[in-house]
Amino acid sequence: FINAGDMYGTDLPTARIKYTVTYPADLFDTVKWHDGSPLSLGDFVLNMILKFDRAKPESPIYDDSTVSTYDAFMATFRGVRIVSDNPLVIETYTDQWQLDAELGIQDWWPNYATGPGAWHTLGLGIRAEEENDLMFSADKAGALEKPWMSYIEGESLTVLATYLIQSTVNDYLPYAPTLGDYVTQAEIDARWANLQSWYASQGHFWLGTGPFYLESANYVTKSVLLNRFANFPDPADKWDCFTQAPSL
């Protein structure tokens, strides 16, 4: 990351909007990925990294199809700052605004175009793309005539499983010079152990943090089987108050 002072010197830019997102104090204790790994600050920071890195030609996972989205983002982005990690507080500075303020909030939660992403499952894909075995995007896969990465089925699973073994042995951490400031060795060990157990029992690498996890997918009937995630922290009746009009 480039510090704002190094980028601009004393002539710091201004921003029309500053979004400050404060997460629950127990976020990293209660929210877990479906393999049992607790959500961590590393998941957020990797999301920040990938927002920029895939559009950089010097990156080993550069993808030309991400450049237009990146350019549009950078036209209004002015900066991001992790204010606190306990509780997690993140400030985002931008010139992009909405008439309804809640629609414009940039929260850096580890969601991507295709869904949620933990740093360890994404790490497998990063390794696979760096070695030109699998590609994150259909555009890059088509351009290079390489397989389009899937975390659910096909030959991708064999490739990702190979990198899972290597990552476990080598204590792999993507973008270690940066993520190493946010992810402990204990977390690295636990993540790879949890993912090994998950893959052995479920046969795929798709993880989320929601109330249901992917049990299986049937590509003949184009259907999926979801099961209840017992460690989901919210009670089933959390939003029942919205089923009826409030009293006046």
Side-chain angles (χ1 to χ4, degrees):
F1 292 115
I2 301 174
N3 182 278
D6 295 334
M7 180 75 177
Y8 301 106
T10 57
D11 187 23
L12 292 177
T14 58
R16 291 184 176 184
I17 302 289
K18 180 182 78 170
Y19 292 111
T20 302
V21 179
T22 302
Y23 293 89
D26 62 355
L27 177 72
F28 297 137
D29 296 321
T30 59
V31 179
K32 299 183 185 301
W33 294 100
H34 290 154
D35 68 351
S37 301
L39 183 75
S40 79
L41 185 53
D43 298 309
F44 287 80
V45 176
L46 182 59
N47 187 19
M48 295 175 180
I49 293 172
L50 292 178
K51 190 80 170 179
F52 301 89
D53 193 54
R54 295 180 68 213
K56 302 289 186 179
E58 62 270 25
S59 170
I61 60 169
Y62 169 73
D63 189 332
D64 184 66
S65 68
T66 68
V67 174
S68 60
T69 301
Y70 169 78
D71 287 343
F73 168 73
M74 290 300 292
T76 56
F77 174 77
R78 296 295 176 262
V80 60
R81 184 166 77 105
I82 299 174
V83 179
S84 166
D85 60 3
N86 186 23
L88 179 61
V89 180
I90 301 177
E91 294 176 347
T92 303
Y93 298 81
T94 180
D95 280 349
Q96 184 181 48
W97 57 277
Q98 303 283 348
L99 289 177
D100 296 313
E102 66 273 15
L103 298 180
I105 295 173
Q106 297 183 20
D107 60 10
W108 301 98
W109 186 272
N111 276 332
Y112 298 83
T114 53
W119 71 251
H120 57 316
T121 54
L122 283 171
L124 298 182
I126 290 169
R127 296 192 73 173
E129 182 157 318
E130 286 177 344
E131 297 298 328
N132 286 318
D133 290 327
L134 303 170
M135 300 297 144
F136 277 118
S137 76
D139 289 333
K140 188 173 180 179
L144 299 181
E145 298 183 342
K146 296 289 184 177
W148 185 16
M149 195 181 310
S150 171
Y151 279 69
I152 298 174
E153 58 88 32
E155 62 183 294
S156 291
L157 296 183
T158 301
V159 175
L160 294 174
T162 298
Y163 284 115
L164 173 59
I165 295 172
Q166 294 180 11
S167 297
T168 303
V169 172
N170 299 329
D171 292 332
Y172 172 69
L173 179 66
Y175 299 96
T178 297
L179 276 191
D181 292 336
Y182 303 94
V183 177
T184 66
Q185 183 62 50
E187 181 181 338
I188 295 172
D189 295 339
R191 288 271 181 132
W192 295 128
N194 290 341
L195 191 57
Q196 281 193 335
S197 297
W198 171 266
Y199 182 62
S201 64
Q202 302 301 132
H204 65 79
F205 291 98
W206 187 258
L207 300 181
T209 60
F212 299 98
Y213 68 88
L214 178 64
E215 176 66 31
S216 62
N218 188 316
Y219 287 85
V220 176
T221 61
K222 296 183 179 180
S223 62
V224 295
L225 175 63
L226 304 179
N227 279 340
R228 174 178 173 270
F229 181 45
N231 287 326
F232 186 70
D234 293 346
D237 61 354
K238 180 174 181 177
W239 308 110
D240 283 0
C241 61
F242 294 105
T243 61
Q244 56 187 346
S247 301
L248 298 179

